[in-house]
Amino acid sequence: MDSPLLHTAQSYTPSQESLPPQNVQYRLRLPSGLPAHFTPLNPLTFVLRAALIHPNKLALAHPDVQHPRFYTFAVWCQRIQNLAYALIKYGIQPGDRVAIISPNCPLIADAHWGVLAARAVVTPINFRLTKPEVDYIIEHSGSKLVLVDHEFASLAEGITVPVVISQDTGLPDDPYEKFLAEGRHFSQERGWAGLDMDPNEDANATLCYTSGTTGRPKGVMTSLRGSYLAAIANAFEAKLSFDSVYLWVLPMFHAAGWTYPWSAVFAFSTQVTIRAVRFPDIWKHFIKSGVTHYCGAPTVQIGIVNAPEGRVLERPINAVIAGSSPTSHLIGELEKKNIHVTHVYGLTDTYGPFTRCYSRPEWREWSLEKRAEAMARQGHSFATADELRVVYSDGGDLLRDVPADGKTLGEIVVRGNILMKEYFKSPEETRAALRGGFFHTGDLAVHYPDGTVLISDRSKDLIISGGENASSLAIEQELAKFPDVLEVSVIARAHPKWGERPMAFVILQPHAEARWKGKEAEFEKELKRFAQKGLPGFARPEWVKVVKDLPKTSTGKIQKNVLRKTVAKL
Amino acid sequence: MDSPLLHTAQSYTPSQESLPPQNVQYRLRLPSGLPAHFTPLNPLTFVLRAALIHPNKLALAHPDVQHPRFYTFAVWCQRIQNLAYALIKYGIQPGDRVAIISPNCPLIADAHWGVLAARAVVTPINFRLTKPEVDYIIEHSGSKLVLVDHEFASLAEGITVPVVISQDTGLPDDPYEKFLAEGRHFSQERGWAGLDMDPNEDANATLCYTSGTTGRPKGVMTSLRGSYLAAIANAFEAKLSFDSVYLWVLPMFHAAGWTYPWSAVFAFSTQVTIRAVRFPDIWKHFIKSGVTHYCGAPTVQIGIVNAPEGRVLERPINAVIAGSSPTSHLIGELEKKNIHVTHVYGLTDTYGPFTRCYSRPEWREWSLEKRAEAMARQGHSFATADELRVVYSDGGDLLRDVPADGKTLGEIVVRGNILMKEYFKSPEETRAALRGGFFHTGDLAVHYPDGTVLISDRSKDLIISGGENASSLAIEQELAKFPDVLEVSVIARAHPKWGERPMAFVILQPHAEARWKGKEAEFEKELKRFAQKGLPGFARPEWVKVVKDLPKTSTGKIQKNVLRKTVAKL
């Protein structure tokens, strides 16, 4: 690979203190009593192996900052070890949650390993949430320590547990670097053998909060075993290898980066972190840094193809897209630039990607239109996932498959090793989601005879705005707090830039009707201003419509499908 | 892929009866009480997934027989199901052993799946063993049924358990096909849902007998979990994919084909079986069938490069070599033909391949000599294996690592998920092999700082000459550089002064045979003179014997114990 990024990396000499000792051994302390033929599955083993086999290979690059960093596997692995010891020094016990509020940068990349190495639970928090939401998650997760990037330090203000702030400089006086140095000192160079291998592969690994469909965010708890198996599947599906360079476009806090923090290391690939999704930067790396892979929602892909910096790439790039299906137009535009799309389907609850539609040799001769249509299908489970089913959504425990006729609508349900363990501290919601022994995705689909499915309606309450899941219910709850609102219903409406944006239908309080009569535009402005306080940017309504009535079922449930049809006609 | 093999396959229409029903569901019956996020690891899931996703892809071709067969994944998967039901009909219970005596052909390929689907243990027997040895294995394993190919039917004579003979025709009147048909009838089209998923991933999967070093063969018992994880590692290491065609050169009975029966299906690759290692056939498939991968011992590779049918291949082939390290000469000759070598190390006790030496980018610029030397190294564990260690072989339970100085000789020990469970019914030998919680391979090696090891010898193959340890492997490597040497094996022979001295058995290159005919003494002198340059005094051969053949095991390993016996009689 002859990219300037890697040349820069080669001229980057790690400091003596950042290196592992000469006689480093990449072995954790074995729990006693394990049979010789059993090792608990744990993604942590990937980085130990990478550091042993390719110590001098570039593992992690963070180039676009004032103090760029380039860590080899050996140096990175030592940093990870330091982080683990630092956490232990600060009292972190096995099973404790450690929160991370950070853009893509070494802090959060380190945390995906170091927190596991301390046998704690990686708890990344979406930095686009509001302060009260972040407070709720830290409180609900019971996080014992927070690692926070300086840009989002205000989100960690007033928190009672220890907070470590990273200035993202990598310099010795950076508080985060000091924290790592403390860890190394505390380790007394006991090395990896001073850290315990978790004897239980079902132990908690990550806790990612998802807005879900109902009010409060839910904490998706995953296991070490699931993380290990999902990461291997992602490496295999994306064909990651020693020669791959993975660019972090997807926020790493999203479902633990779809397990790619571990997949990339499993395959000895190089990772490149950038703090923000800026299209000129992305194109710079596409062109100059030998990028071979990235993941992102369709809305990000739209930005990428439309950026003026775009051009036809010499080397092909593999883009993994999740979320709503990319249009044939988008797929075609990406292909023109030598970017090739793999469309996957999954949820935070399934470690990210769970299924795809495998291309068949005959596709190569198909028109773009036809390929795009085929690509929109889903349902072929990843190698380490179980087969998915489409069942009648009658809410019962007895799951009956809909016929694979391409017509009958049912709900997608899944189970198996790459399904989350539970919603943390939410036994009721867990039970409901897992009724009949399968996880109910809330996504409706038809099943075809070839095992593929076509998702007709992504869970009807969810709005995917700029790649973020916004719960319409949560938005409704917030807007309903506005004194003049009697009733409100929020749906997703297509948006050229963000994919979808929330649209709110509002019935006014009787006492307020007179006041706003003929001044709907002013009301809209007022309500939007109100929303700024309680809702993150992506969840604020883009459009507000005052109505007399809302369409309802006989039992009083608002028929959002009717609202959607109205909007479609606008 | 535009190979004649695949064209032939496309003109091969499966019979109506061999097809699965229209509404086939590729799901086993779930055990009750499993958490939704847990599915026991089992390679069987690979073939169910392949049949769902690529039903019409060529899965298994058996072309070089009177009645060639070409099975798609859908048809093959149905045959596997039929086999499982047939076994159950014949009283096979979970955990029972089912023996297979067969060359590479559909019978043994089916058995690697159908026996697992009946929750029984795949017990392949080396067909080159003597009748008493086969009797011993059937007796010791307690096999409840034997599947045998007609060519080796005599090995199953007089056996008291049911024996099913395959004529390898695939025709309805073939006893094996009748057996499958019985199975399907017995299933009453209950399909996969009529078969139970094994609730325990630690359940027994395969039982392969290894000649070991002492007396009776030992039964290496593996688990479903280990088979699953080893198969994934092999698929990843060999870069198997949808476009791969794997040629069965390695006998499938050997360590369950190094898990490649499952690896190939995991990756949706096509497998091609040939009944015998005939070099003209192998080259025919290399040239005409789109072969991309095969595995084999160095001695098989020597036959391949020297076959007159050989030529420079248009498409590269990836050859996985285990056993002794290939010489630089052999690697070079293979590369000239566009065959690229991956050298791996493992044992039957480790599901076949366990480690390799990962190539580094700088190798690309190295000379062949230097690359061959690097390639001879081992010690980089496969992704799902644990790190190996090199320890002082003092026989104790407390394992102490030798320093990674490239000098101190120790024994390779391993543990982890791709290590066997036990020697079946041999608790004493199991305990001895697993002392200190690690499996003792009996292979001696030095450890390097970069984590690689260089295997100097099996402990029993070491030559102690005048108190010096001479590695027979190193001597062989050196002597093989002599231009007229085709193949060479070195053993220890008693010597009145030095205790032991090396003795070399040499097969001449065909082109050199005439030159040395009747002048063996001169050749010996020449070779000894050559050895003076590259070997220390104590490692130079004292005796050289030109031979036509070397005694080999069925897997192509030279039987040094036979050579030793010859020598003892001299």
Side-chain angles (χ1 to χ4, degrees):
Chain A
M1 195 120 344
D2 50 352
S3 75
L5 173 69
L6 302 193
H7 283 300
T8 314
Q10 273 157 24
S11 68
Y12 182 88
T13 314
S15 69
Q16 209 52 41
E17 306 83 63
S18 70
L19 289 170
Q22 276 288 304
N23 58 349
V24 55
Q25 294 218 327
Y26 292 107
R27 274 200 301 275
L28 294 158
R29 184 161 50 207
L30 273 177
S32 59
L34 281 191
H37 75 286
F38 177 81
T39 298
L41 302 180
N42 186 330
L44 192 56
T45 54
F46 302 154
V47 81
L48 298 175
R49 184 169 162 265
L52 173 73
I53 296 176
H54 294 299
N56 302 319
K57 205 210 156 186
L58 180 61
L60 180 67
H62 188 54
D64 293 352
V65 285
Q66 201 189 344
H67 301 281
R69 273 102 77 203
F70 301 92
Y71 299 123
T72 62
F73 278 114
V75 170
W76 193 25
C77 201
Q78 181 63 49
R79 288 173 62 83
I80 288 163
Q81 190 194 115
N82 300 348
L83 176 54
Y85 276 108
L87 293 170
I88 291 167
K89 186 191 169 188
Y90 273 73
I92 297 300
Q93 299 282 320
D96 281 352
R97 275 75 59 204
V98 173
I100 306 109
I101 310 173
S102 171
N104 293 341
C105 70
L107 175 71
I108 187 166
D110 296 353
H112 275 81
W113 301 95
V115 174
L116 292 190
R119 295 180 55 189
V121 181
V122 182
T123 307
I125 301 178
N126 184 343
F127 53 72
R128 295 193 192 114
L129 297 178
T130 62
K131 173 76 173 140
E133 285 171 310
V134 171
D135 285 345
Y136 171 79
I137 290 173
I138 289 173
E139 169 73 27
H140 184 268
S141 65
S143 289
K144 293 278 170 60
L145 189 142
V146 181
L147 300 168
V148 63
D149 179 83
H150 64 100
E151 190 180 338
F152 304 101
S154 63
L155 288 175
E157 262 169 26
I159 280 168
T160 53
V161 296
V163 173
V164 179
I165 297 177
S166 165
Q167 299 293 343
D168 197 17
T169 65
L171 299 177
D173 65 348
D174 190 310
Y176 175 58
E177 298 297 323
K178 283 186 185 164
F179 187 66
L180 296 186
E182 272 186 80
R184 180 138 190 186
H185 185 255
F186 178 70
S187 81
Q188 295 179 301
E189 299 297 331
R190 277 170 291 168
W192 288 100
L195 298 168
D196 286 311
M197 178 189 289
D198 205 308
N200 176 17
E201 65 186 25
D202 197 41
N204 295 339
T206 70
L207 177 60
C208 297
Y209 281 78
T210 160
S211 47
T213 52
T214 52
R216 288 295 200 184
K218 285 177 291 188
V220 172
M221 186 65 89
T222 71
S223 74
L224 293 171
R225 173 186 168 101
S227 303
Y228 180 100
L229 292 170
I232 288 182
N234 277 310
F236 201 83
E237 294 304 335
K239 291 195 166 58
L240 289 173
S241 75
F242 180 92
D243 295 316
S244 304
V245 177
Y246 180 84
L247 180 69
W248 273 103
V249 173
L250 179 80
M252 224 180 280
F253 68 71
H254 249 303
W258 301 356
T259 77
Y260 274 77
W262 307 307
S263 301
V265 174
F266 169 84
F268 306 135
S269 308
T270 295
Q271 298 177 62
V272 180
T273 46
I274 47 177
R275 290 181 60 92
V277 175
R278 287 193 205 94
F279 300 113
D281 291 347
I282 289 174
W283 274 104
K284 181 184 73 183
H285 290 298
F286 281 2
I287 295 164
K288 295 192 177 161
S289 304
V291 169
T292 57
H293 291 78
Y294 72 96
C295 301
T299 158
V300 172
Q301 315 284 353
I302 290 168
I304 286 173
V305 284
N306 289 321
E309 294 82 2
R311 66 172 80 162
V312 181
L313 293 161
E314 278 172 45
R315 276 177 292 217
I317 290 183
N318 181 0
V320 180
I321 304 193
S324 50
S325 350
T327 61
S328 62
H329 178 75
L330 177 59
I331 294 169
E333 289 302 306
L334 286 165
E335 285 185 359
K336 274 185 207 158
K337 299 199 156 54
N338 209 5
I339 298 172
H340 304 274
V341 167
T342 305
H343 180 221
V344 300
Y345 163 74
L347 307 102
T348 300
D349 319 68
T350 61
Y351 296 78
F354 189 90
T355 82
R356 57 183 285 192
C357 177
Y358 285 91
S359 70
R360 304 220 159 96
E362 59 265 29
W363 285 20
R364 290 167 200 164
E365 286 143 43
W366 286 5
S367 70
L368 181 62
E369 281 301 315
K370 204 168 165 191
R371 265 191 301 129
E373 213 167 277
M375 224 184 265
R377 297 273 189 91
Q378 284 297 332
H380 290 160
S381 296
F382 277 24
T384 58
D386 271 12
E387 193 187 347
L388 64 67
R389 297 169 61 184
V390 183
V391 301
Y392 288 102
S393 24
D394 47 14
D397 261 10
L398 198 71
L399 307 179
R400 290 178 308 120
D401 294 86
V402 303
D405 58 6
K407 282 182 233 156
T408 315
L409 206 63
E411 184 179 6
I412 294 177
V413 298
V414 297
R415 68 174 305 290
N417 294 315
I418 66 174
L419 171 66
M420 63 146 193
K421 291 172 72 174
E422 59 164 5
Y423 293 125
F424 189 53
K425 291 188 197 160
S426 306
E428 282 308 316
E429 276 163 313
T430 303
R431 244 193 308 279
L434 297 180
R435 64 187 182 275
F438 280 73
F439 174 72
H440 290 66
T441 63
D443 289 326
L444 303 179
V446 295
H447 216 160
Y448 289 89
D450 67 355
T452 60
V453 303
L454 187 64
I455 298 165
S456 77
D457 205 359
R458 225 176 128 77
S459 163
K460 51 189 182 292
D461 293 337
L462 225 54
I463 299 161
I464 303 166
S465 166
E468 297 288 346
N469 288 349
S471 157
S472 61
L473 228 103
I475 303 171
E476 286 159 10
Q477 282 175 359
E478 188 58 31
L479 298 184
K481 292 177 188 163
F482 188 73
D484 291 348
V485 169
L486 174 65
E487 201 170 358
V488 57
S489 182
V490 171
I491 59 157
R493 184 175 170 189
H495 188 281
K497 179 167 176 201
W498 300 110
E500 291 177 349
R501 293 289 282 167
M503 175 161 184
F505 292 81
V506 175
I507 303 177
L508 292 174
Q509 294 277 6
H511 66 76
E513 274 179 25
R515 189 189 324 161
W516 297 112
K517 196 156 177 94
K519 300 186 229 168
E520 280 84 359
E522 271 182 62
F523 172 78
E524 180 168 355
K525 234 164 107 184
E526 277 286 320
L527 188 65
K528 283 181 176 177
R529 185 165 18 216
F530 176 80
Q532 281 175 20
K533 282 181 296 179
L535 291 171
F538 62 83
R540 291 176 202 150
E542 184 82 24
W543 306 274
V544 175
K545 190 172 164 63
V546 176
V547 292
K548 285 259 167 249
D549 278 306
L550 286 166
K552 288 180 187 166
T553 65
S554 54
T555 55
K557 265 168 81 177
I558 295 170
Q559 294 172 298
K560 291 199 173 181
N561 51 336
V562 176
L563 290 177
R564 276 189 210 99
K565 276 184 202 152
T566 326
V567 165
K569 286 183 205 138
L570 289 180
Chain B
M1 194 124 344
D2 50 351
S3 76
L5 174 71
L6 301 193
H7 283 301
T8 314
Q10 272 159 24
S11 67
Y12 183 88
T13 314
S15 70
Q16 210 50 43
E17 305 84 62
S18 71
L19 289 170
Q22 277 287 306
N23 58 351
V24 57
Q25 295 218 326
Y26 292 107
R27 273 201 300 276
L28 294 158
R29 184 161 50 206
L30 272 177
S32 60
L34 281 191
H37 74 287
F38 178 82
T39 298
L41 302 179
N42 186 331
L44 194 57
T45 54
F46 302 154
V47 80
L48 298 174
R49 183 168 163 265
L52 173 74
I53 295 175
H54 294 299
N56 301 320
K57 205 213 156 185
L58 180 60
L60 180 66
H62 189 52
D64 293 352
V65 285
Q66 202 188 343
H67 301 281
R69 273 102 78 203
F70 301 92
Y71 299 123
T72 61
F73 277 114
V75 170
W76 192 26
C77 202
Q78 180 64 49
R79 289 173 61 82
I80 288 162
Q81 190 194 114
N82 300 346
L83 176 54
Y85 275 109
L87 293 171
I88 291 166
K89 185 189 169 188
Y90 273 74
I92 296 300
Q93 300 281 320
D96 282 352
R97 275 75 59 204
V98 173
I100 306 111
I101 310 173
S102 171
N104 292 341
C105 69
L107 175 71
I108 188 166
D110 296 353
H112 275 82
W113 302 96
V115 174
L116 291 190
R119 294 179 56 190
V121 181
V122 181
T123 308
I125 302 179
N126 182 342
F127 53 73
R128 295 198 188 106
L129 297 178
T130 61
K131 173 74 171 142
E133 285 171 311
V134 172
D135 285 346
Y136 171 79
I137 290 173
I138 289 174
E139 169 72 26
H140 184 268
S141 65
S143 288
K144 291 279 169 62
L145 189 142
V146 182
L147 300 167
V148 63
D149 178 83
H150 64 100
E151 191 180 336
F152 304 102
S154 64
L155 288 175
E157 263 169 25
I159 280 169
T160 53
V161 297
V163 174
V164 178
I165 297 177
S166 164
Q167 298 294 341
D168 197 17
T169 64
L171 299 176
D173 65 348
D174 189 310
Y176 175 59
E177 297 298 323
K178 282 185 184 164
F179 186 67
L180 295 185
E182 271 186 79
R184 179 138 190 185
H185 184 256
F186 177 71
S187 82
Q188 296 178 304
E189 299 297 331
R190 276 170 292 167
W192 287 100
L195 297 168
D196 287 310
M197 180 189 290
D198 205 309
N200 176 16
E201 66 187 22
D202 197 42
N204 294 339
T206 69
L207 177 59
C208 297
Y209 282 77
T210 160
S211 49
T213 52
T214 52
R216 290 295 202 184
K218 285 177 291 188
V220 173
M221 186 66 88
T222 71
S223 74
L224 292 171
R225 173 185 168 102
S227 303
Y228 179 99
L229 292 169
I232 288 181
N234 277 308
F236 201 82
E237 294 304 334
K239 293 196 164 61
L240 289 172
S241 76
F242 180 91
D243 295 316
S244 303
V245 176
Y246 180 83
L247 181 68
W248 273 103
V249 172
L250 179 80
M252 222 180 284
F253 68 70
H254 189 232
W258 301 355
T259 76
Y260 273 78
W262 306 306
S263 300
V265 173
F266 170 84
F268 306 136
S269 307
T270 295
Q271 297 177 63
V272 179
T273 46
I274 47 177
R275 291 180 59 91
V277 175
R278 286 191 206 95
F279 300 114
D281 291 347
I282 290 174
W283 273 102
K284 180 185 75 185
H285 290 297
F286 280 3
I287 295 164
K288 295 192 177 160
S289 303
V291 170
T292 58
H293 291 78
Y294 73 96
C295 300
T299 159
V300 172
Q301 316 283 353
I302 291 171
I304 286 172
V305 282
N306 288 316
E309 294 82 2
R311 65 171 79 163
V312 181
L313 292 160
E314 278 173 45
R315 277 178 289 217
I317 290 182
N318 180 1
V320 180
I321 304 194
S324 52
S325 358
T327 61
S328 61
H329 178 77
L330 178 58
I331 294 170
E333 289 301 307
L334 286 165
E335 285 186 359
K336 275 186 206 156
K337 298 195 156 59
N338 208 4
I339 298 173
H340 304 274
V341 167
T342 305
H343 181 221
V344 299
Y345 163 74
L347 307 100
T348 300
D349 319 68
T350 63
Y351 297 78
F354 188 89
T355 82
R356 58 184 286 195
C357 177
Y358 285 90
S359 69
R360 305 222 160 95
E362 58 265 30
W363 286 20
R364 290 168 199 162
E365 286 143 42
W366 285 6
S367 70
L368 181 60
E369 281 301 315
K370 204 170 164 191
R371 265 193 299 131
E373 220 166 88
M375 223 185 262
R377 297 272 188 92
Q378 285 297 331
H380 290 160
S381 295
F382 277 23
T384 58
D386 271 13
E387 193 188 346
L388 63 65
R389 296 170 62 184
V390 183
V391 300
Y392 287 102
S393 24
D394 47 14
D397 260 10
L398 197 70
L399 307 179
R400 290 179 308 121
D401 294 86
V402 302
D405 58 6
K407 282 183 230 153
T408 315
L409 207 62
E411 184 179 5
I412 295 178
V413 299
V414 297
R415 68 173 308 289
N417 294 315
I418 65 173
L419 171 65
M420 63 147 193
K421 293 172 72 174
E422 59 164 6
Y423 293 126
F424 188 53
K425 291 189 195 158
S426 307
E428 281 308 315
E429 276 162 313
T430 302
R431 242 192 309 279
L434 297 180
R435 63 186 184 276
F438 280 74
F439 174 72
H440 290 63
T441 63
D443 288 323
L444 302 180
V446 295
H447 216 158
Y448 288 90
D450 67 354
T452 60
V453 302
L454 186 64
I455 297 167
S456 77
D457 243 326
R458 293 286 305 169
S459 43
K460 65 181 187 309
D461 290 337
L462 212 63
I463 301 163
I464 303 167
S465 165
E468 296 283 355
N469 286 348
S471 155
S472 62
L473 233 117
I475 304 171
E476 285 161 7
Q477 293 252 346
E478 189 56 32
L479 298 184
K481 292 178 187 163
F482 188 75
D484 291 348
V485 169
L486 175 68
E487 203 170 354
V488 56
S489 182
V490 171
I491 58 157
R493 185 176 169 189
H495 188 281
K497 182 171 174 194
W498 302 109
E500 288 177 355
R501 293 287 281 165
M503 174 164 183
F505 292 81
V506 174
I507 302 177
L508 292 174
Q509 292 276 8
H511 66 74
E513 275 177 22
R515 189 188 323 160
W516 298 110
K517 197 157 178 94
K519 302 186 227 167
E520 280 81 7
E522 270 175 61
F523 172 77
E524 179 168 355
K525 234 163 107 184
E526 277 285 324
L527 188 66
K528 283 180 174 176
R529 183 162 22 211
F530 177 80
Q532 281 174 21
K533 285 182 294 181
L535 291 171
F538 64 86
R540 290 178 204 149
E542 185 82 25
W543 306 276
V544 174
K545 191 174 164 58
V546 176
V547 292
K548 284 261 167 251
D549 279 306
L550 286 166
K552 286 178 187 167
T553 66
S554 50
T555 56
K557 266 164 83 175
I558 295 168
Q559 293 172 300
K560 293 200 172 180
N561 52 336
V562 176
L563 291 177
R564 272 188 215 103
K565 275 183 202 152
T566 328
V567 164
K569 286 185 204 134
L570 290 179

